[in-house]
Amino acid sequence: MNLWETMTGSDLTREWKAFEARAGALPADHRAAWEQIKGHLYPYSDFTGRNLMPILDGALGLLEETAADGQSIDDVLSDDIACFCAALAGGEGARSHRDRWREQLNRNVARKLARLGG
């Protein structure tokens, strides 16, 4: 990966297209789980999503292996995909971009109040 790919995100676009091609080969119930996994993992990403690519690759690999073994998606992920995604992203309480924004906002407000008070 070179600087230009990092700046434009073209490397991520290629990787994302490869993920979607792999997911297209899954059975319907596994594809539906993939769509839900993507939706539940998005809040844990940074602005580029670069930090999620290895996690998504692992999740897709799990879906591919279980589909190849003939396991149902309920046997693998149960019915709580949101909980599965929270565990993938670092467990319950994992920091999301909203948490980072909230912390930054709180720091900025505290700094402004300190200037007004002092």
Side-chain angles (χ1 to χ4, degrees), residues 31-99:
R31 271 195 316 270
W34 169 247
E35 294 299 323
Q36 290 180 21
I37 288 171
K38 290 187 308 185
H40 286 292
L41 281 177
Y42 177 74
Y44 298 104
S45 72
D46 58 13
F47 288 110
T48 64
R50 207 170 281 284
N51 63 328
L52 280 186
M53 292 311 232
I55 296 171
L56 288 169
D57 186 38
L60 185 55
L62 174 70
L63 293 176
E64 289 170 332
E65 287 178 29
T66 58
D69 291 343
Q71 293 178 309
S72 78
I73 203 67
D74 291 330
D75 293 338
V76 178
L77 301 179
S78 77
D79 59 348
D80 194 359
I81 292 180
C83 183
F84 170 76
C85 291
L88 273 180
E92 193 62 35
R95 289 183 37 168
S96 69
H97 63 274
R98 289 183 194 106
D99 297 325

Side-chain angles (χ1 to χ4, degrees), residues 15 17 23 33 42 71 73 82 89 111 115:
E15 197 170 348
K17 287 179 181 178
Y42 177 74
Q71 293 178 309
I73 203 67
R111 205 174 314 131
R115 281 189 213 151

